[in-house]
Amino acid sequence: MDAALLTRTRRALALTLTLLLALGALPALADAGGEDGALDGDTDEADPTDDEAGDETEEAGDLFLTVRPRVVAPGRSVLVQAGYGAPWPDGGNGQPEDADGDDALEDGGEGDGEEDGDDALEAQAGPAASERMAGPPAGVPGRPLAVTFTIDFGDGSGEQPMRPTRQDPRGGSGAALAQHTYAEAGPYTLTVTAKPVDGGPAVTEKLDIEVGTGSARLEGDDRKGTAAEVSMEGFPEDGSAEAVLIARADDFADALASAPLAIEAQGPVLLTDTAELCETVLAEIARALGDEGTVYVLGGEAAISGTVVDTLVEAGYDIERVDGEDRVATALAIAEFLVASGVAIDEVVLAASHDFADALAGGAYAASVAAPVLLTDGDELDERVAAFLAEAAERAPDLEVLAVGGETALSAAVVDAVAEVGVAVERIAGADRYATSVALAQARYHDPATLVFATGQTFADAVAAAAFAGTLGAPVLLVDDPLSDALVAYLEGLDSVEVAYLIGGSAAIPDDLEGELEARLGFDLTDDPTGDVD
């Protein structure tokens, strides 16, 4: 066979396998809690007092449970997914641990930017996975079941069947899901039972969850995995996103203005390497979006290559590339997209183009009020931005510009130039990026019920956090070690917070800061709000 044809065939097979595994709910069955693994049901053996089980407990297989979202609010749907009998991977988002080999990217490291090649994908496929590709897809009537699942949500609604999502009769494994809405806050115990249809012993696991106040750390093996975890929290039901945005993982330029577009498009922001799309990201696109839909690619081919786009097209997705000649132009392209989509622009967030902190903190607010984020050089107002503001003011005479950052970020000349365009302008700033994020929260979020924390040292976690926070109507607060005086004072004055999210691992927000945040907020950030499997 021709070598080029063989390579294409391998890639097609690998891509097909990845999508089949993703759409079969495999990603959701991995540990959503990252390193702590609190959500991952480390399966207990069957009750040793059960004489009938005897030594068969080791042969019964493992039962894994995952709950999304990680923080459950009354009236909000909770999704429970269960997997039985298969050797599920250990890494986040259903991929083998450190699948893409760039842990250093999690918190500002460079990494090597290289993904697994075709040979590695083939090795992961294996004979058993190839066999599972035959026959109708999981969930299709007529497909034989390997395992049946039932669940009791612990609120008096009674035991009920879970919907099968993936079955492997030959391997004796299966997966299923169920959704439920709790009407009232309080502690509940989920009880899930898996019963092999071949007559093997049933396995039951319990999971304690707290509905109401709570907190969670959303982290992955690297920055791409963390963005995928944020996506799963924001869009917990498979196929619930209307679109997906992807941005370059190693540079913030094109992602600075992405949050309002994510809200308008109703999708998460995911991160990718420039050259290739890794399995973690492709699997999360397939989970959140399904097998078709639109992927917005932020930036030109120097940011996200044609190879990444080709992979998405081959997977069946429509592509919209949003880019410009530089980061200012890309932000303007997003703003023009919002206008063309019918969004009434009566407020604009303006931030410096040379740094990420103010733009991403401001982006969360902009997303919550359907305002575009525009970028400019810190010393003078970019003439392209001035032109956009002038046109926007004609459509909305009451247009207001919110300039985020102090004079070292946006000079007085920039603010004066905005006023000369004929647009009202207000500056919100603190002594540094941490104080600025607090000042923005104080000025625009009154008695917030939710807070989102991200490191102020690197951009990646805050990119995903900005869009996520926008959907929650929550501020993004930038965290330093030690906590800034401004943040400490702000938290001490709050009594309205019910939910808190930490975005990124302990390298981004150190463990020793969790105790401080716990004391200020009144609930424990170190424990997973959904509890541990008994």
Side-chain angles (χ1 to χ4, degrees):
M1 180 181 295
D2 178 75
L5 177 59
L6 177 60
T7 298
R8 289 194 297 271
T9 301
R10 286 178 172 177
R11 289 177 175 171
L13 176 60
L15 178 60
T16 301
L17 174 63
T18 301
L19 287 174
L20 284 173
L21 293 179
L23 293 173
L26 178 60
L29 298 174
D31 171 19
E35 203 174 319
D36 294 336
L39 278 181
D40 190 16
D42 289 337
T43 307
D44 294 339
E45 295 181 353
D47 188 346
T49 63
D50 186 349
D51 293 334
E52 292 183 5
D55 295 335
E56 292 181 343
T57 54
E58 293 185 1
E59 299 178 6
D62 291 337
L63 176 59
F64 297 84
L65 304 180
T66 299
V67 175
R68 299 201 302 260
R70 299 278 299 282
V71 179
V72 183
R76 186 178 181 188
S77 179
V78 60
L79 182 73
V80 180
Q81 295 182 289
Y84 171 88
W88 308 114
D90 294 327
N93 197 31
Q95 301 304 329
E97 194 166 354
D98 192 22
D100 50 13
D102 57 358
D103 283 350
L105 280 178
E106 166 57 36
D107 296 297
E110 294 301 325
D112 58 16
E114 295 179 359
E115 307 301 342
D116 293 329
D118 296 334
D119 292 341
L121 286 171
E122 285 188 298
Q124 289 181 17
S130 300
E131 290 174 4
R132 288 197 295 270
M133 293 171 63
V140 174
R143 175 163 182 155
L145 293 176
V147 187
T148 61
F149 296 84
T150 59
I151 186 169
D152 188 325
F153 287 94
D155 62 350
S157 57
E159 189 176 47
Q160 52 197 281
M162 300 180 73
R163 180 170 67 85
T165 57
R166 179 172 177 266
Q167 297 285 316
D168 180 11
R170 280 172 286 196
S173 63
L177 62 81
Q179 274 189 282
H180 189 68
T181 300
Y182 289 94
E184 298 180 357
Y188 297 91
T189 299
L190 303 173
T191 303
V192 176
T193 299
K195 174 69 175 177
V197 299
D198 63 4
V203 178
T204 297
E205 295 293 350
K206 296 179 182 293
L207 184 69
D208 294 328
I209 68 170
E210 182 72 31
V211 176
T213 61
S215 57
R217 181 190 285 273
L218 304 180
E219 62 174 317
D221 291 330
D222 55 31
R223 57 183 58 186
K224 291 169 290 186
T226 292
E229 290 291 337
V230 173
S231 172
M232 285 190 282
E233 186 72 9
F235 296 87
E237 183 177 353
D238 293 355
S240 59
E242 296 294 324
V244 168
L245 283 66
I246 60 171
R248 182 176 180 173
D250 62 350
D251 195 287
F252 58 78
D254 296 314
L256 288 178
S258 62
L261 175 58
I263 299 299
E264 173 62 21
Q266 299 181 54
V269 177
L270 298 175
L271 302 177
T272 181
D273 294 318
T274 295
E276 292 183 289
L277 192 67
C278 73
E279 293 173 66
T280 299
V281 180
L282 184 56
E284 178 55 18
I285 292 172
R287 186 208 65 81
L289 191 54
D291 57 3
E292 61 182 8
T294 300
V295 176
Y296 292 93
V297 177
L298 304 180
E301 290 201 11
I304 298 179
S305 70
T307 301
V308 172
V309 171
D310 290 344
T311 300
L312 292 168
V313 171
E314 290 170 6
Y317 298 108
D318 298 323
I319 304 299
E320 289 273 356
R321 191 184 282 274
V322 183
D323 67 332
E325 61 184 357
D326 54 26
R327 63 191 65 186
V328 173
T330 296
L332 284 167
I334 292 174
E336 294 288 3
F337 182 93
L338 295 176
V339 172
S341 299
V343 177
I345 305 297
D346 55 16
E347 190 169 6
V348 170
V349 171
L350 182 65
S353 61
H354 60 269
D355 200 2
F356 66 89
D358 297 334
L360 293 177
Y365 169 71
S368 69
V369 296
V373 176
L374 299 183
L375 306 175
T376 184
D377 180 80
D379 295 327
E380 60 180 349
L381 183 66
D382 192 289
E383 60 183 16
R384 295 167 293 179
V385 174
F388 177 89
L389 293 176
E391 293 178 6
E394 292 180 1
R395 294 188 296 266
D398 295 330
L399 179 71
E400 180 181 356
V401 170
L402 182 65
V404 181
E407 291 194 11
T408 57
L410 291 175
S411 68
V414 170
V415 173
D416 292 343
V418 172
E420 291 172 4
V421 174
V423 177
V425 58
E426 176 187 0
R427 184 195 292 273
I428 292 182
D432 54 27
R433 62 184 59 189
Y434 307 100
T436 294
S437 71
V438 169
L440 184 59
Q442 291 173 321
R444 289 295 192 268
Y445 297 89
H446 303 291
D447 299 324
T450 303
L451 300 178
V452 177
F453 296 96
T455 179
Q457 295 296 314
T458 57
F459 73 91
D461 295 336
V463 167
F468 175 61
T471 66
L472 301 174
V476 170
L477 295 168
L478 300 180
V479 174
D480 193 16
D481 186 10
L483 297 179
S484 68
D485 292 342
L487 180 57
V488 168
Y490 175 66
L491 295 179
E492 287 180 345
L494 289 178
D495 59 8
S496 59
V497 179
E498 298 178 354
V499 176
Y501 288 100
L502 279 75
I503 312 300
S506 58
I509 301 178
D511 294 337
D512 60 6
L513 296 185
E514 291 180 341
E516 287 189 65
L517 292 170
E518 173 187 344
R520 314 277 178 201
L521 295 172
F523 45 78
D524 191 350
L525 291 176
T526 63
D527 292 335
D528 196 294
T530 53
D532 295 322
V533 175
D534 293 337

